[in-house]
């Protein structure tokens, strides 16, 4: 079952996955909010009574216990009767909510703001944007009048306002002042007394060439402060106004090239808006090109591209022009090296649209390239789905691309072939060959994105084959390309590779184990704001499980962690730890075959560990047969992210148990 998450940045809410939990009445939500506010500490029943009622009724303590019981049933519906609660626990004189930091939106927000303060300036605005996206309304919204919530509401609100201003300040300093203007406008509409926000808005306008608007903003600030509060603007506002009037060079944007690029972009987009008709097909195709470029710029760009991509496809389909639709779908040839979708629903919709377009597209030599791109899209978006259609589409796309002898088309098709190269264990050599061809294509034909992809694929494949020297070389090469061509997401994968490397070379000592665990946790921090939920969800707990099992340690699964899609493999370990062997055996037998992705071997090893612990011979035979083709490899290392240790060690353990 998916972990419960909690929201207090808006109405107090709890979710399990996408589903909102029924928390009954306002006093139930008040109890939950009060426990979240306590940050895992115990809140005595007497304090809860005082906080919930101005004049407590005679049976207030019993009512609180009833509220807690109702909340427990909502939060842990599958907990057996009389079994102790694991989330909302009784301790001493009261109750505590043992929620993980990542499961409470306010705690995630605070951690993200603190992390942004430590990040390089160029990365911090995107991190703050994601953090601010946690807010759905005022903190603890329905408890604004409650004394117990007042201080925390004020603290969180001030932290949010400072985060908005800090992000705007960073954007202005980085030469991205135009991006700061809309957010500051909206911010000041709600909080007109923030002098720093007025200053930043005026400076941002000035740095985008809007001197008159900047002065108008400062006049508005002066009028508001004097007219309503009876005070003059502070010294920073006064200095900025004087500097703008004097056209002080110190106010100019930092770095002429960045300013020139910003001005060129503004002029080009203005000319485009003026000359290209609003509903034209050219706009639609240009939009996809922009989304393709946006997707490789970082987490925020990737999320935005994903959000708008299907809208562009739907607009193309509405024209009834199959060839236009094929171009719109096929133009999004953004390289991908992770074999699990970030948005499965979107992926299914894109596959369906591509299949409809393939059926409508006339078969002729003039449409071969479009058909190839549609087939490659089907292969890419069917990643991690066990179906014969994905591999067939990939193979057909590759055949067409090789016949047409188009390097860019072949690179796109090979990306689809790579996505369909995880249907069973032991396919790392095949992926290595795909990566080598992509590197060669990218180098010869200036296809930088595919050169990057090829190195990442080879890093993964050589890791699986325990050739860490070659993997190191590909990590260094791809880091150099990423720095030269501004591909920030590459650093996420190379940081995880370094953590994998430490885990793969660690000995069984406590110190070595702890260093490997710390490396995984550090790498996981890079996933915040990276815009890759298909990669992020459940990855850290799975990596830590693999580390423990590879070192012969107990699994020590935290059932409260966000296991994401890997929860079915985690829950039997939790049942075993509680001595519930029969239920663990049932959960083991109910496990599906792992999905066809880069963690296939890792999940097979997790299943093997369970089968070994339970002595389940059918499961042992099944996992042995699945793992045998990967003999000689490092289990899970084909992901380039984590490992469960040598596959041969698992095969030997299974053989010994079966022989016994």
């Amino acid at each position: 079952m998916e972990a419960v998450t909690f929201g207090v940045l808006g109405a107090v809410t709890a979710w399990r996955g996408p589903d909102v939990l029924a928390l009954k009445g306002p006093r139930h939500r008040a109890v939950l909010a009060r426990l979240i506010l306590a940050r895992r500490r115990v809140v005595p029943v007497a304090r809860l009574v005082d906080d919930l009622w101005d004049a407590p009724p005679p049976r207030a303590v019993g009512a609180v216990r009833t509220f807690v019981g109702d909340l427990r049933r909502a939060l842990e519906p599958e907990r057996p009767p009389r079994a102790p609660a694991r989330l909302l626990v009784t301790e001493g004189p009261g109750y505590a909510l043992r929620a993980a930091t990542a499961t409470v939106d306010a705690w995630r927000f605070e951690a993200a703001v603190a992390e942004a303060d430590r990040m390089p300036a160029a990365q911090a605005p995107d991190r703050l944007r994601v953090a601010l996206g946690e807010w759905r309304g005022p903190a603890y919204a329905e408890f604004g009048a409650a004394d117990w919530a007042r201080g925390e509401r004020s603290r969180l609100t001030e932290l949010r306002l400072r985060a908005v201003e800090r992000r705007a300040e960073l954007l202005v300093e980085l030469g991205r002042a135009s991006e700061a203007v809309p957010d500051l406008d909206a911010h000041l509409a709600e909080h007109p007394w923030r002098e720093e926000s007025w200053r930043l808005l005026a400076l941002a306008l000035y740095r985008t060439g809007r001197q008159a608007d900047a002065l108008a903003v400062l006049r508005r600030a002066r009028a508001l402060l004097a007219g309503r509060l009876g005070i003059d603007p502070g010294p920073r506002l006064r200095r900025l106004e004087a500097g703008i009037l004097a056209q002080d060079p110190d106010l100019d944007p930092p770095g002429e090239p960045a300013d020139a690029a910003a001005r060129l972009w503004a002029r080009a987009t203005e000319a485009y808006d003026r000359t290209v008709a609003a509903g034209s097909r050219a706009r639609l195709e240009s939009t996809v090109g922009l989304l393709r470029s946006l997707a490789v710029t970082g987490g925020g760009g990737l999320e935005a591209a994903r959000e708008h991509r299907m809208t562009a496809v739907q607009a193309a389909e509405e024209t009834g022009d199959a060839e236009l639709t094929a171009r719109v779908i096929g133009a999004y040839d953004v390289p991908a090296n992770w074999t699990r979708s970030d948005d499965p629903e979107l992926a299914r919709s894109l596959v369906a649209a591509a299949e409809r377009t393939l059926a409508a597209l006339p078969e002729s030599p003039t449409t071969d390239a479009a058909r190839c791109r549609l087939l490659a899209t089907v292969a890419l978006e069917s990643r991690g789905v066990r179906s014969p259609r994905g591999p067939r589409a990939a193979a057909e796309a590759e055949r067409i691309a090789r016949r047409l002898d188009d390097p860019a088309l072949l690179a796109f098709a090979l990306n689809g072939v790579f996505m369909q190269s995880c249907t069973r264990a032991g396919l790392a050599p095949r992926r290595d060959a795909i990566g080598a061809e992509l590197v060669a294509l990218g180098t010869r034909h200036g296809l930088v994105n595919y050169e990057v992809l090829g190195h990442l694929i080879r890093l993964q494949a050589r890791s699986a084959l325990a050739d860490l020297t070659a993997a190191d070389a590909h990590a260094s090469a791809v880091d150099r390309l990423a720095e030269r061509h501004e591909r920030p997401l590459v650093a996420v994968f190379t940081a995880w590779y370094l953590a994998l490397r430490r885990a793969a070379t660690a000995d069984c000592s406590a110190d070595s184990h702890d260093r490997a665990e710390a490396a995984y946790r550090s790498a996981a921090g890079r996933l915040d704001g990276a815009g890759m939920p298909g990669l992020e969800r459940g990855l850290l707990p799975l990596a830590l499980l693999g580390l423990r099992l590879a070192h012969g340690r107990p699994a020590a699964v935290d059932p409260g962690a966000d296991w994401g899609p890997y929860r079915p493999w985690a829950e039997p370990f939790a049942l075993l730890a509680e001595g519930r062997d029969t239920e663990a055996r049932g959960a083991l037998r109910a496990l599906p075959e792992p999905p066809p992705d880069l963690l296939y071997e890792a999940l097979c090893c997790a299943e093997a560990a369970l089968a070994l612990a339970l002595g389940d011979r059918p499961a042992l035979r099944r996992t042995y047969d699945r793992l045998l083709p990967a003999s000689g490899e490092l289990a899970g290392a084909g992901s380039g992210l984590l490992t469960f240790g040598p596959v041969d060690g698992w095969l030997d353990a299974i053989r010994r148990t079966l022989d016994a």
Side-chain angles (χ1 to χ4, degrees), residues 25 49 51 77 96 171 205 227 231 282 286 291 295 370 378 389 407 415 425 447 462 481 539-540 587 638:
V49 168
D51 287 342
L171 290 172
L205 289 166
I231 60 174
S286 298
L291 294 178
V378 170
R389 177 53 175 158
N415 200 173
L447 304 171
R462 301 318 299 181
L481 284 168
L539 184 61
L540 178 60

Side-chain angles (χ1 to χ4, degrees), residues 137-152:
Y140 296 89
E142 63 265 60
F143 304 111
D147 289 343
W148 55 266
R150 187 171 296 118
E152 182 68 353

Side-chain angles (χ1 to χ4, degrees), residues 428 432 456-472 474 497 500-501 504 632-643:
D432 193 37
L456 286 173
I457 290 173
R458 296 211 69 193
L459 179 154
Q460 295 166 335
R462 301 318 299 181
S463 297
L465 298 170
D467 183 0
L468 298 183
T469 301
D472 287 345
H474 289 293
Y497 165 69
L500 154 66
R501 198 186 198 294
E633 295 186 12
L634 283 177
S639 63
L641 309 172
L642 56 83
T643 181

Side-chain angles (χ1 to χ4, degrees), residues 640-659:
L641 309 172
L642 56 83
T643 181
F644 274 57
V647 170
D648 287 349
W650 292 99
L651 293 173
D652 288 345
I654 295 171
R655 272 196 301 267
R656 286 196 302 271
T657 302
L658 290 174
D659 290 345

